[in-house]
Amino acid sequence: RPNPGEAPDPDDVPIGIEALDTRIRQYTAELASRDLFFGRIAQRFLALRGWQTLGFTTEAHYARERLGMSRASLRSKLSLARRSQALHQVADALQQGQIGFEAARLITRIATPTTERAWLTRATRRTFKHLREEVQAVEMATRFAGATDHSPPNQEQIDQMQALERAILSGQL
């Protein structure tokens, strides 16, 4: 039987904004670390077709009925686990609470072992929205222009991408 873990004592709620923020960030880092570990063990379970062995019709059925999550949620954890295997600094930053789960997912889409430090620095200085736009800019440059440099874009490259998007949306292109 799964052990649901121990929930903190409901009377152990800190007082004050700073203390509440500290506790929330602590739990967020812990959850992200657990999600990464969960993804790693789920990879092994699914590779062995464990869901089928246990009598579930699909992995989605297993995720929904046994784990209480959607297949998409399961897949996002698996994706992060798979992509972070070669990006040890990203995994460490996630586990230490320096970046969140979604930022880690973005970074692992584009970072390489040689660019991960730059992406981590960028992730700690940007909003999630801006980080997502920058990852998308590099992905677009890779797909359409054959770019091989997966470093975070500089301001000129960001401006060029935004100009391209405006041209597409306005119908000029």
Side-chain angles (χ1 to χ4, degrees), residues 146-161:
T148 57
D149 181 13
H150 290 190
S151 299
N154 60 36
Q155 190 57 50
E156 180 183 346
Q157 292 166 322
I158 293 169
D159 293 343
Q160 289 173 347
M161 180 170 142

Side-chain angles (χ1 to χ4, degrees), residues 69-128:
M69 67 174 58
S70 68
R71 182 175 186 267
S73 180
L74 174 62
R75 283 281 162 197
S76 72
K77 291 168 179 48
L78 292 166
S79 175
L80 178 62
R82 185 182 68 256
R83 290 177 176 163
S84 68
Q85 286 175 343
L87 302 172
H88 304 291
Q89 294 176 44
V90 172
D92 289 345
L94 176 67
Q95 291 173 323
Q96 294 170 13
Q98 296 167 351
I99 60 171
F101 181 81
E102 292 299 329
R105 284 190 56 222
L106 278 176
I107 292 171
T108 59
R109 282 175 26 189
I110 197 69
T112 64
T114 57
T115 64
E116 71 178 312
R117 174 56 40 207
W119 278 110
L120 283 169
T121 300
R122 186 65 61 101
T124 61
R125 296 181 180 164
R126 296 281 201 238
T127 64
F128 178 77

Side-chain angles (χ1 to χ4, degrees), residues 18-147:
E18 295 297 324
L20 287 166
D21 175 60
T22 298
R23 184 71 61 86
I24 289 169
R25 287 183 303 119
Q26 171 193 345
Y27 287 139
T28 301
E30 185 179 315
L31 286 171
S33 182
R34 287 176 183 256
D35 280 342
L36 179 58
F37 182 72
F38 171 87
R40 289 179 176 165
I41 62 172
Q43 272 183 305
R44 188 172 301 160
F45 178 82
L46 295 177
L48 296 170
R49 299 182 66 84
W51 52 270
Q52 194 172 40
T53 303
L54 296 177
F56 292 91
T57 56
T58 63
E59 73 179 43
H61 181 218
Y62 173 78
R64 187 180 56 252
E65 297 299 326
R66 181 76 105 189
L67 305 178
M69 67 174 58
S70 68
R71 182 175 186 267
S73 180
L74 174 62
R75 283 281 162 197
S76 72
K77 291 168 179 48
L78 292 166
S79 175
L80 178 62
R82 185 182 68 256
R83 290 177 176 163
S84 68
Q85 286 175 343
L87 302 172
H88 304 291
Q89 294 176 44
V90 172
D92 289 345
L94 176 67
Q95 291 173 323
Q96 294 170 13
Q98 296 167 351
I99 60 171
F101 181 81
E102 292 299 329
R105 284 190 56 222
L106 278 176
I107 292 171
T108 59
R109 282 175 26 189
I110 197 69
T112 64
T114 57
T115 64
E116 71 178 312
R117 174 56 40 207
W119 278 110
L120 283 169
T121 300
R122 186 65 61 101
T124 61
R125 296 181 180 164
R126 296 281 201 238
T127 64
F128 178 77
K129 177 184 179 274
H130 289 130
L131 181 64
R132 183 182 64 230
E133 289 171 351
E134 292 174 6
V135 167
Q136 289 171 340
V138 173
E139 288 175 328
M140 185 183 301
T142 300
R143 268 194 315 271
F144 298 116

